[in-house]
Amino acid sequence: MAFELPPLPFAQDALEPHMSAKTLEFHHGKHHAAYVRTANELTKGTPFENAPLEEVILKTAKDGDKATLFNNVAQIWNHTFFWNCLRKGGGGKPGGDIAKRIDRDLGGYEKFVEEFKKAAATQFGSGWAWLVLDKDKLKVVKTANAVNPLSQGQIALLTIDVWEHAYYLDFQNRRPDFVATFLDHLVNWDYAARNLEAEHALPR
Ligand code: MN3
């Protein structure tokens, strides 16, 4: 079965004014769709044609000859994961187990915010900032281009896309404002908590 573009888990204008319908029209409808289309073209007639997305990511991650395929399949996964990290009325401080883990492993919510903002701001060029579970410890990490925690043996809990296409229409060059808006108004902590609970890295 070919890779598919999943629908957004919310209406295209649901995140206004923090993330515009226009941004989502392009980011989901053009960029995410293009990764799906290219991955299908690259895998057609190959042993990867009917393989699950995660398997293709893991099998191409360390193979330099498959870099283009890795970039496209990883970006399919990363974007599906990212949409689930967003919700209307989200953001702010989480509660429950994930809050306790942030206190224990990262020194509290304020420290997490500081570290996450720094990771997102200092990812040079295109990439992602993540909250991950690495063995038994929460960590904030950044990755370049399409690289994701799945390909690094870590479990993704939360992410922000810091490719320019993620924020340019709404924030122009002001990436730090986009990151602050994400943290204050958009984070879907329930999704991050479910990922922690399941210790499961796949977009659901
Ligand atoms: Mn993107």
Side-chain angles (χ1 to χ4, degrees), residues 67-141:
T68 306
L69 178 55
F70 170 77
N71 286 336
N72 282 278
V73 288
Q75 284 290 78
I76 297 174
W77 191 95
N78 295 349
H79 283 86
T80 302
F81 191 88
F82 179 50
W83 308 136
N84 281 284
C85 290
L86 306 170
R87 74 172 181 90
K88 182 184 177 67
K93 206 173 166 176
D97 269 0
I98 199 160
K100 288 183 196 143
R101 298 293 295 262
I102 287 171
D103 287 348
R104 190 189 79 184
D105 296 343
L106 300 172
Y109 178 71
E110 298 308 322
K111 285 273 187 208
F112 157 75
V113 165
E114 197 180 304
E115 235 186 288
F116 194 82
K117 282 181 171 174
K118 188 175 163 201
T122 60
Q123 172 50 44
F124 185 76
S126 296
W128 302 78
W130 309 81
L131 176 64
V132 302
L133 185 64
D134 186 0
K135 310 220 165 44
D136 196 36
K137 199 172 181 321
L138 297 201
K139 283 184 187 167
V140 171
V141 299

Side-chain angles (χ1 to χ4, degrees), residues 27 31-32 35 75 79 82-83 128 161-163 165-166:
H27 199 176
H31 291 278
H32 194 178
Y35 297 127
Q75 284 290 78
H79 283 86
F82 179 50
W83 308 136
W128 302 78
D161 185 345
V162 295
W163 284 58
H165 67 222

Side-chain angles (χ1 to χ4, degrees), residues 17-193:
H18 307 297
M19 185 180 287
S20 66
K22 196 78 180 164
T23 284
L24 285 162
E25 179 191 338
F26 278 85
H27 199 176
H28 176 258
K30 306 283 185 198
H31 291 278
H32 194 178
Y35 297 127
V36 172
R37 195 169 57 244
T38 305
N40 283 330
E41 284 164 11
L42 290 169
T43 51
K44 198 168 172 24
T46 78
F48 288 124
E49 187 168 4
N50 296 305
L53 184 63
E54 291 76 18
E55 185 186 320
V56 184
I57 292 170
L58 292 171
K59 285 189 171 165
T60 57
K62 306 281 188 264
D63 183 349
D65 293 342
K66 299 276 193 305
T68 306
L69 178 55
F70 170 77
N71 286 336
N72 282 278
V73 288
Q75 284 290 78
I76 297 174
W77 191 95
N78 295 349
H79 283 86
T80 302
F81 191 88
F82 179 50
W83 308 136
N84 281 284
C85 290
L86 306 170
R87 74 172 181 90
K88 182 184 177 67
K93 206 173 166 176
D97 269 0
I98 199 160
K100 288 183 196 143
R101 298 293 295 262
I102 287 171
D103 287 348
R104 190 189 79 184
D105 296 343
L106 300 172
Y109 178 71
E110 298 308 322
K111 285 273 187 208
F112 157 75
V113 165
E114 197 180 304
E115 235 186 288
F116 194 82
K117 282 181 171 174
K118 188 175 163 201
T122 60
Q123 172 50 44
F124 185 76
S126 296
W128 302 78
W130 309 81
L131 176 64
V132 302
L133 185 64
D134 186 0
K135 310 220 165 44
D136 196 36
K137 199 172 181 321
L138 297 201
K139 283 184 187 167
V140 171
V141 299
K142 57 185 178 178
T143 60
N145 301 315
V147 177
N148 60 27
L150 179 63
S151 64
Q152 308 298 304
Q154 298 165 325
I155 291 163
L157 305 179
L158 181 75
T159 195
I160 184 169
D161 185 345
V162 295
W163 284 58
E164 235 175 40
H165 67 222
Y167 58 89
Y168 210 83
L169 293 175
D170 293 331
F171 296 91
Q172 290 75 54
N173 61 331
R174 293 176 286 114
R175 187 192 289 186
D177 292 353
F178 166 59
V179 178
T181 298
F182 170 79
L183 288 167
D184 292 342
H185 301 288
L186 294 172
V187 173
N188 183 350
W189 281 114
D190 291 342
Y191 183 65

